[in-house]
Amino acid sequence: MKKTLMVFTMVGAVMINSLHAENEHSQIITQLASQNANTRKIAESEALALGPDILPVLRGSQSTEAEAIVVSYDSLIASSDKKASMAALEFFAQRGASRFLSQSLKDIQNADVKLAAVRRIREMGSTRVTGDLATLVDTLAAEDVYRSGSEAATLHALYMEELTGLITSILGENVPANQPLEKKVQTVLDKARTVKPQAAADKEK
């Protein structure tokens, strides 16, 4: 009986969270359609703070702000037009949309853009991007440490160095700079896994 009650409670919590997200998204879409420029600006900031999860809803919106976010995201992760990807990167970076950038790292196809993206996240400051720690750690864990090809390998190594540096700055930990990259990545992942979620939240405050 207790187990059944627990299952229903968990299902209920998931449904409540889902409904809350839907209501939040609907409110943002409504505000983006407002005739008031300030209201639209606030809604744009709220949409950017949610990260790529808001994209399916934004794609159905007719507002200029929503379209700009969608187009910028699509350009960011594309590999065919580096100039457009870099412009999209600046769109999110200038608006402090760290969640969009952090959650896009795995999907960005151009190596130069990927490196530039993690550097722009670092420039925002470790305190500001603490909430992206779990995403950044998952991204690091999913990456191959080394790549073949001289230019590709060099860019990827620089990217991995920047990403490990970003994560260690958020953790407030020091990792010996002279460690081989593979060892450094493993050290950072080991340290990240010992950090409790509450500790990261406290650091963000």
Side-chain angles (χ1 to χ4, degrees):
M1 182 68 178
K2 285 185 177 180
K3 189 175 291 187
T4 302
L5 182 59
M6 185 178 296
V7 170
F8 279 120
T9 301
M10 291 176 65
V11 171
V14 170
M15 290 178 66
I16 290 172
N17 289 336
S18 178
L19 287 171
H20 175 72
E22 287 181 11
N23 290 336
E24 183 178 21
H25 292 177
S26 296
Q27 183 177 2
I28 289 173
I29 294 301
T30 299
Q31 291 174 335
L32 284 172
S34 172
Q35 297 298 313
N36 185 286
N38 189 50
T39 298
R40 293 199 308 274
K41 194 68 178 176
I42 293 172
E44 179 192 52
S45 297
E46 291 175 350
L48 289 168
L50 291 173
D53 288 346
I54 189 72
L55 285 170
V57 180
L58 294 183
R59 289 186 190 279
S61 173
Q62 300 300 313
S63 80
T64 302
E65 289 80 5
E67 183 179 2
I69 294 172
V70 171
V71 170
S72 295
Y73 175 80
D74 291 343
S75 297
L76 177 64
I77 65 174
S79 60
S80 57
D81 189 339
K82 179 181 172 181
K83 185 176 180 180
S85 295
M86 285 295 192
L89 167 59
E90 288 307 310
F91 172 88
F92 291 114
Q94 290 172 7
R95 289 162 176 77
S98 65
R99 183 165 295 183
F100 257 97
L101 294 180
S102 296
Q103 293 185 7
S104 299
L105 287 176
K106 290 181 181 178
D107 300 317
I108 295 174
Q109 300 300 308
N110 186 286
D112 286 308
V113 177
K114 197 168 186 174
L115 175 58
V118 75
R119 283 176 171 170
R120 294 296 270 130
I121 297 170
R122 288 194 74 174
E123 289 171 6
M124 293 180 189
S126 57
T127 303
R128 186 169 182 176
V129 300
T130 298
D132 302 310
L133 177 61
T135 296
L136 295 168
V137 171
D138 287 344
T139 299
L140 180 63
E143 291 281 6
D144 293 326
V145 177
Y146 300 110
R147 293 277 174 89
S148 58
S150 58
E151 184 178 358
T154 299
L155 285 172
H156 186 68
L158 289 171
Y159 163 73
M160 294 294 282
E161 289 282 0
E162 290 285 349
L163 185 53
T164 54
L166 172 58
I167 293 172
T168 54
S169 69
I170 295 173
L171 294 173
E173 298 280 353
N174 292 318
V175 176
N178 59 351
Q179 279 189 346
L181 182 56
E182 187 172 11
K183 174 65 175 175
K184 188 181 297 184
V185 169
Q186 192 56 56
T187 300
V188 171
L189 290 175
D190 290 341
K191 288 180 179 293
R193 287 165 184 149
T194 65
V195 174
K196 296 179 180 179
Q198 186 58 47
D202 290 342
K203 183 178 175 62
E204 187 176 12
K205 290 178 180 179

